Amino acid sequence: MRFLRRWWAQPCNYMRMGKYFQARGVLTAYRIGVGFNCIFFGLAGLTAFLTAVPPSSVVSRTVLVSAVISSFVVGALWVRGPWPSERISTLFVIYADIGTTMALLSYGSIQMSFPVCVLLAATGLYVQVFHSPKLLMAHLLWSAVTVAGMFLLILASPTLDHGLAWSHLIMLLPVMFTTPVFLQSILLNLRVDADDAMLDPLTGLHNRRGLDEALPRFLRGRSEVSVLVIDVDRFKSINDRFGHEGGDLALTLIARRLLVDEVLVARTGGEEFAVVTTVSAEQAISVAEWMRTRLHSPQDSCPLTVSVGVAHSASGEGDGVCTVTNLLRQADWAMYEAKRLGGNQVVVADPVAAYPPVRAGRTGD
């Protein structure tokens, strides 16, 4: 029961999963794969008319033909793309579950169609990867109703092989019900661990790896990119005065104050932070000055000051990771120049002169 409670409570973000696979260049392949599976299911339904016991009634033939045609149409929509929204994806799961059950009940021999209930496990696999435990549970409940209903129909018929039905039921139980829960639990745990590997455990910000991971989406369609490197002045004195716990509190305070709209923030070192934004060079200097003053508060038990280096590129398209990596080096150079000049100020890197920094400003507060 403890395992089931943990599985039920595990988080799942459909849109984030889509972006995760898209960033790795495999989402299109998954989309096309789902589409062809729908088409193959349609072809399988079509071959039911070629068997020894095809659908016999008008209703069953109509249902099966409708299922075949809709499978081809839905499959074509998947292949054409784009990847569906969470709402459309949920409707697809409902369509697949109901359609599979109706097609199985429409076949001429329920004894022969009963083991084909395993096709519901294919829909379950899609739900395991992309959707939450809640939707998987709804799918499993529908599958259970389908399996139980068909099994009871077989037992109610004295002419059918009851022993074979029991054999098929025992085969279906682990494949359709037990395994999906365990597999989704494993996937969700791996997903959480993968997300944690992208974050700084103290501040909750991106670490350098997480920054590189987030950059392609953040910079998509942007023509300019600016990078700020922010380092706390005389951080060792904070640790000496308040201990490492006090230093950790100072870093978490900085992280909270840096989290504003339309910027990407990461902790890239001990007391060093990187801020990526898609603004012009002049705006980047204004943002840097605003952040420098925002991070300093006389009401803090130990008021902080920071040194800020700024670098800018007019071309944020292409390989955003390489662009930002180069800008980080330039901004880091400028930040150290700000420290050399006494700290608590903003210095702008000059990429034309191999990073010699240009002093942008300083206040006496």
Side-chain angles (χ1 to χ4, degrees), residues 7 34 37 41 92-94 96-97 100 117-133 135-143 175-185 187 191:
W7 163 72
V34 173
N37 277 338
F41 284 3
F92 167 71
V93 172
I94 296 172
D97 278 348
T100 301
C117 286
V118 75
L119 287 177
L120 289 166
T123 305
L125 179 61
Y126 173 81
V127 178
Q128 291 167 47
V129 175
F130 291 101
H131 284 281
S132 68
L135 186 59
L136 179 59
M137 179 58 72
H139 161 77
L140 293 177
L141 287 174
W142 177 265
S143 300
V175 174
M176 295 182 62
F177 301 104
T178 308
T179 304
V181 173
F182 280 99
L183 286 179
Q184 191 186 54
S185 177
L187 287 172
R191 201 173 300 163

Side-chain angles (χ1 to χ4, degrees), residues 234-247 300-304:
R234 295 171 289 279
F235 185 74
K236 184 177 181 301
S237 64
I238 298 175
N239 280 330
D240 292 341
R241 181 180 176 185
F242 296 98
H244 289 290
E245 289 186 1
D300 292 341
S301 57
C302 180
L304 304 170

Side-chain angles (χ1 to χ4, degrees), residues 227-235 268-273 306-311 327-349 355-359 362:
V227 172
L228 285 58
V229 171
I230 301 172
D231 195 272
V232 183
D233 295 328
R234 295 171 289 279
F235 185 74
T268 54
E271 62 271 17
E272 186 175 290
F273 298 83
V306 295
S307 298
V308 186
V310 181
L327 292 177
L328 281 169
R329 287 196 294 266
Q330 298 178 33
D332 197 57
W333 188 307
M335 180 272 294
Y336 278 110
E337 178 65 10
K339 282 188 170 296
R340 189 186 68 80
L341 295 172
N344 192 26
Q345 60 189 287
V346 174
V347 170
V348 182
Y355 317 154
V358 178
R359 184 173 178 178
R362 178 181 181 180

Side-chain angles (χ1 to χ4, degrees), residues 160-191:
L160 297 180
D161 190 335
H162 296 174
L164 183 61
W166 278 105
S167 177
H168 288 157
L169 178 66
I170 293 171
M171 173 195 71
L172 290 172
L173 288 177
V175 174
M176 295 182 62
F177 301 104
T178 308
T179 304
V181 173
F182 280 99
L183 286 179
Q184 191 186 54
S185 177
I186 292 171
L187 287 172
L188 290 175
N189 275 304
L190 291 174
R191 201 173 300 163

